[in-house]
Amino acid sequence: MTIRTARPNRAQHFQPRLYCLKKLESILLEMQDTKSGVKGTEQKLNITTIPHVIAGNDTIAWISNQMKTTTEEAQAFGTMLVAYGYIYPLQNHKKLVMCNDSSLYRFQTPYFWPTQKWVPDDSDYAIYLAKRNIRKKGVLEPYEQAHYNHLHEWLNHKWDFIVMQAAEQYKAGKERKKPDRVVFDCQERAYWMVNRPPRCAHSAMDCGPERLIDPNTDEKTTFDIYRRKNMFYQQAIMRSKVKSSVSLGALVKYITTYKNHDPFLASCLPSNPWQTDHDAYWTLNMRRVEVPTKMRVERWSFSLFELLSDLRGRDDFKIFLKKEFSGENLAFWEAAEELKWGTSSSMSTKAETIFKTFLAPGAPRWINIDGRTMGLTVKGLEHPHRYVLEAAQTHVFLLMKKDTFFRYLKSPTYKDIQKKALNPEPHNFSPANLEQNALNRSPGIHPIILWQQEEEEKAKAAAASAPVDVKAMMSKIDRKK
Amino acid sequence: MPLVNNKVGNDCTVGTDKTLADGKDLVESVIKVVACYRHLAACVGGCTDSLQLRDELRQMREKALNLAEAIRLHLTSHLRDKSLPEDQRKEMELLWVAFSSSLELLHVDMCKVFSMGDNFSLANTASLVQTGLQGGGSEVAARALSLADLNQEPPTLPAGLESQERSTMEQEISQIDHMIDDMEKKVNVLRWMVEPRGPQYADPLSSTESASLALLSIDEEQPGHKPLCQRNLIFVLLLLFAVVLVAATLSVCLVLFS
């Protein structure tokens, strides 16, 4: 069994954003040219001087000259060069930006350049951290320490090798002259600062998901590509089109309706749990809460779809329909949903019950759909599948939408719940409070408990809606007497 | 290169101790060569890149491949020996893991040097990156290679030989590739069963040297504040101690002579 951790990326996956780096390398080579590139000076340390140091303002001036752009763009370009690790700062090595002043930078050696194929390896990082530790014990930053401990667990089988290799590399480094040693240490440190950045630092190396096609190579145009293009365009012609004014109008209408309900665009009341670690928002908006929040109730009025998707809203709608004695539409819609989403083994029994309850002539909860749909549905029910009730369900939905929904919105049930709805105050947490909240985070209600509650409610509802057993009623009345 | 095929029954503890020691030496030397190779590989493409550097790299590659071949035969033959006692087997497996990891590191470094050799040809010295290095890697190469290897004449390479060197390199890379695959097929070492014997943290080497290096690198950030403070503190403490000692001797003298 192989655990080959140091294998190159043999063209299986491509990190799409990094392919532009190849173009950077040519500019970089121009930049470091002694004659026409950025002017290099020497860096004076305690005892030694190290050559080939460039200043930030010189670099930015050169870039803006060479690429004929403004200083701001040149500065941004320089910062990207630093962020990707082609140039590293000497004075503040943790902050990977290029400043337009006399701060000093140096070019990184090509061995440490970020090319596409060489993923920075975990065992290399472990060796580097071990080397830092050999040089001076306890000099690792907390995040590096955490990495080190994790790697010790993860690469435990190689640990002897890692320690030995770190010791050997350190000893080999000591053979070199002091300035070279310092330069090499700085280079390595810069490389790992780019490739294993500290927490909460912006890293240029964040790239999206890996692709299976190499973005560098041009796709060969074969016959198959043209065939697929043809199919695509033919289907596109046949699609029904809408004028952009109409579709944009619909989009604008959607945005104006929902803009106060979007947690990104408007603050959610009382507070966004992801930001403040206080879960009042979730507990107030649970499935079976007695009194819903105002925003939730407002959302029910947007469309029947919203009302039915929110189960609390559906309950409310059911109460209204019970008063009106027209609950069979909703019951049919719910039964059809159950058929769609249920298990395939239960499909035939469900189809039977639905037919007996809703569709058979003279059924107890007969729904009023037009003859054609009824005929199609009954025929389909002979060989039931998941979507056999689709047409009937849509028809019933439209009936509800056009008629019952608006009556609901004007009904005392809805107005009542609108009045009762809660409008929680927005929280105002100080940083100390936020810390406290973060410490007091709890895992919340276990999903099994929620599921049990649901089962209980379902049993209650089934018992309540079961046909009344006359004999049992009579015997109860007798007993009372 | 001792290849001990000791399958004798009674002498086996003595034999395998020696083989273990041999194996350990070989693996340590391979680790040393790989470490030095990495140091030198980091110079490729920079301003210190030269024919000599490439030549040193080539020599180290050859040495590493020879050592690797020897270790492979040694370890494969021993690990396939079913009669190996349990503790010997564990030691061998540790060596095996160390060896295969160093082979992988070497493979990565070789591939990197190969692709960089593509991009940075020695003919165009202006395009070599000014990295700030001044010395070549000869001292590091000296550590890895023995005196006999170094005394060879640095060859004067005509232009065509660079491509020949590249094809040799390709062969060497594929050789290591096959070696790794081969090893995995022949011997089944379960990585999760291998336990390291060594410490989690490598021991810091002698404090004076480490302190001086620390001085040099910290200098770059804060112009010498921290180490100076440390130095000052030590001086003050020493001074105080000396003063206390002098005071003690003076008082003892007073007591004795009064």
Side-chain angles (χ1 to χ4, degrees), chain A residues 392-404:
Chain A
Q393 190 184 11
T394 326
H395 186 95
V396 157
F397 186 84
L398 287 172
L399 276 178
M400 286 198 286
K401 187 165 127 172
K402 294 197 176 134
D403 178 34
T404 334

Side-chain angles (χ1 to χ4, degrees), chain A residues 221-251:
Chain A
T221 48
T222 62
F223 161 73
D224 190 53
I225 294 182
Y226 289 119
R227 186 180 66 90
R228 284 193 287 153
K229 273 191 184 172
N230 271 331
M231 275 169 48
F232 177 78
Y233 290 131
Q234 279 173 351
Q235 286 176 343
I237 293 173
M238 288 198 299
R239 260 177 249 149
S240 61
K241 298 175 205 12
V242 169
K243 273 205 279 197
S244 58
S245 53
V246 172
S247 60
L248 288 172
L251 195 62

Side-chain angles (χ1 to χ4, degrees), chain A residues 268-458:
Chain A
C268 62
L269 305 169
S271 64
N272 194 335
W274 295 112
Q275 290 176 337
T276 56
D277 288 323
H278 194 276
D279 57 358
Y281 180 72
W282 290 330
T283 42
L284 288 175
N285 281 318
M286 281 187 68
R287 159 81 182 89
R288 294 204 178 266
V289 73
E290 275 292 319
V291 186
T293 54
K294 262 209 166 46
M295 297 299 272
R296 200 175 183 184
V297 173
E298 197 186 312
R299 214 183 161 128
W300 296 343
S301 66
F302 289 161
S303 74
L304 181 64
F305 178 71
E306 287 282 343
L307 180 65
L308 293 183
S309 327
D310 192 354
L311 293 171
R312 179 71 182 78
R314 215 193 279 185
D315 286 345
D316 223 42
F317 197 46
K318 261 188 228 170
I319 298 175
F320 166 71
L321 290 174
K322 226 179 187 172
K323 290 206 183 117
E324 301 240 320
F325 299 104
S326 55
E328 66 269 3
N329 282 339
L330 184 62
F332 176 72
W333 187 87
E334 280 197 323
E337 285 284 296
E338 250 183 71
L339 184 72
K340 261 205 292 197
W341 299 103
T343 59
S344 41
S345 47
S346 60
M347 263 197 316
S348 45
T349 44
K350 276 191 195 155
E352 281 276 332
T353 42
I354 290 177
F355 179 72
K356 273 198 228 139
T357 328
F358 296 101
L359 299 169
R365 308 186 82 175
W366 189 76
I367 53 170
N368 196 356
I369 50 180
D370 65 304
R372 203 177 125 254
T373 322
M374 180 67 94
L376 280 170
T377 315
V378 171
K379 237 173 105 187
L381 278 172
E382 283 165 30
H383 302 282
H385 58 90
R386 245 169 239 285
Y387 299 102
V388 64
L389 296 172
E390 186 74 22
Q393 190 184 11
T394 326
H395 186 95
V396 157
F397 186 84
L398 287 172
L399 276 178
M400 286 198 286
K401 187 165 127 172
K402 294 197 176 134
D403 178 34
T404 334
F405 181 57
F406 291 108
R407 277 193 285 131
Y408 168 72
L409 289 181
K410 298 195 197 101
S411 70
T413 328
Y414 184 68
K415 294 220 189 319
D416 197 29
I417 205 140
Q418 258 184 325
K419 259 188 275 194
K420 276 203 296 191
L422 299 169
N423 200 1
E425 287 288 318
H427 282 151
N428 197 357
F429 289 126
S430 65
N433 284 344
L434 289 176
E435 281 286 330
Q436 197 64 30
N437 287 347
L439 292 170
N440 290 344
R441 275 193 286 201
S442 63
I445 306 183
H446 201 281
I448 287 190
I449 297 180
L450 285 175
W451 179 80
Q452 282 173 342
Q453 282 177 345
E454 286 293 314
E455 295 289 306
E456 278 170 35
E457 294 286 334
K458 268 198 227 164

